Amino acid sequence: MTATAPETLDLQRAAREHLWLHFTRMGGDGEVPIIVRGDGCYLEDSKGKRYLDALAGLFSVNIGYGYGAEIGEAAAAQMRELPFYTNWGYAHPRAIELASEVASLTPGDLNRLFFVSGGSEAVESAWKLARQYFTARGDGRRWKAISRHVAYHGTTMGALSINGIPELRNPFEPLVPEVLHVRNTNRYHRPSDETEEQFTAFLLDDLEQTINATGAETVAMVIMEPVQNAGGSFTPPEGYWKGVRDICDRYGILLCADEVICGFGRVGAWFGSERYDIKPDLMTIAKGLSSSYAAIGAVVASDRVMEPFMRDTNMYAHGITFGGHPVMSAIALKNIEIMKRDKIVEHVADTQDTFKKTLSQLLDLPIVGDVRGTGFFYAVELVKDKETRESFNDEECETLLRRFLSPRLFERGLICRADDRGDPVIQISPPLIAGQHEFDQIVSILGDVLSEAWTRVADLEGAPDGATHRVNR
Ligand SMILES: Cc1ncc(COP(=O)(O)O)c(C=O)c1O
């Protein structure tokens, strides 16, 4: 096929002919949304229309879109000095500096970084590391992982197997054996007379029973997000993390905090592990590490996990060409420098209460059952009946969320996510530089669109016009 010069390329047509979008229905004749630039919390498409990105480019552009020039300079300087080298048996200054910098921010003795290219690779690497940790210690073989229902941990085969979302897992069965799933911390659909203490005990009992039923001596790792994203910002009840830590200690299982979203300020602290005093043995990080200006992630290991790999000829038998890429590392270092200089994490801690108060106005709407979350990490759960908390069924979700809400919000200039991987929720997770103006704009647009959605609930049989909008899952 003859190539077209970039300046004469019809982007819309070329996108439809050549680009394969992730988690997107590629059929139909809907337009491909083409985003061409960003500044602050805002994006602009190829027609000059502006959007408030209340999802921070998939929970990840923590510093917003306005630091490209400054970060670009750091990247260019690194390109001139050393555009690439690996971490396979070699080190280079930026990977060393980044490892030290992150180790200084992580709580406890999480002091060792193994760099990868993103979140799925971090989760994949954490599971492999946990498996090898037990053999390196000479403690027999442990291979199983435990995660939570509805949780999302990535898409590579290992990370996918850890996911607790059946519709993402099913097309790829058989998956990597063996992962067990336990209850998540969704309290909205629990009995109304259950106390927080009882809820915590119920969850911990489920975890412990699952471990006992499968055989504790076969379980390598429990992996959970400090606040679970999929299903809609499930925060932990009081005593939950202390209980999970105690159970892992009791059965000698490694605890991994998947901080791919929660890390780097999203929950009002540098890490969710700090905010909830989780004390994990392993931590997975990506997205916010570079505010997604670079494709970089890492597994952070505690001194205890590192210890057997420092013995004799032991080696973690794993590697990725781009792990610790010097240009990616330089970008991540600059991102952290900016986050510290511009007090991004402090801003979240200072404004999270007003964000919550502003979002809580949505509870006045008949379709909004719950507004939950923390920091700049929220979800609005949609219900058919506020009294009974009855949810929408699959067909209604398709009509309401995918065919109406997602395209209408986009049309109104608000990017957030209508998600029904669990109960139907709208996820709100803006860049960490957002302020009252953005909070108000989110509530104003969401309020209008959700009110409109409610009028359609009565007549969910007929799909509205515009049903061909492409859908991201
Ligand atoms: C908690 C969590 N873990 C892992 C991943 C996978 O990250 P990536 O998409 O960078 O592979 C994600 C992505 O959203 C995530 O939210």
Side-chain angles (χ1 to χ4, degrees), residues 22-23 58-59 117-123 151-156 159 163 223-230 258-262 284-287 292 296-297 377 417 421:
H22 297 211
F23 281 121
L58 280 179
F59 317 88
S117 323
S120 300
E121 276 181 12
V123 169
Y152 181 85
H153 293 281
T155 48
T156 54
N163 274 350
I223 178 166
M224 299 169 170
E225 293 165 272
V227 175
Q228 182 173 317
N229 176 41
D258 186 348
E259 298 252 14
V260 167
I261 289 181
C262 292
T284 44
I285 56 175
K287 304 188 189 254
S292 292
I296 185 165
F377 192 25
R417 190 200 225 177
R421 292 178 295 184

Side-chain angles (χ1 to χ4, degrees), residues 380-429:
V380 171
E381 181 161 338
L382 307 181
V383 287
K384 224 153 120 173
D385 185 328
K386 267 170 114 111
E387 284 300 308
T388 61
R389 303 190 172 186
E390 184 189 351
S391 205
F392 295 99
N393 62 32
D394 284 355
E395 208 175 308
E396 292 163 341
C397 282
E398 172 72 29
T399 312
L400 195 68
L401 266 79
R402 295 185 214 153
R403 298 196 181 198
F404 173 68
L405 275 172
S406 292
R408 182 70 95 236
L409 287 168
F410 191 69
E411 207 178 285
R412 289 289 311 271
L414 183 68
I415 297 181
C416 52
R417 190 200 225 177
D419 187 8
D420 64 344
R421 292 178 295 184
D423 298 312
V425 292
I426 308 274
Q427 294 168 318
I428 304 159
S429 190

Side-chain angles (χ1 to χ4, degrees), residues 4 20 28 30 35 54 117 154 159 180 217 231 236-237 272 351 361 364 394 400 469:
T4 314
W20 201 329
I35 304 297
S117 323
L180 299 119
E217 69 290 350
T351 52
Q361 295 169 48
D364 292 341
D394 284 355
L400 195 68
H469 181 88

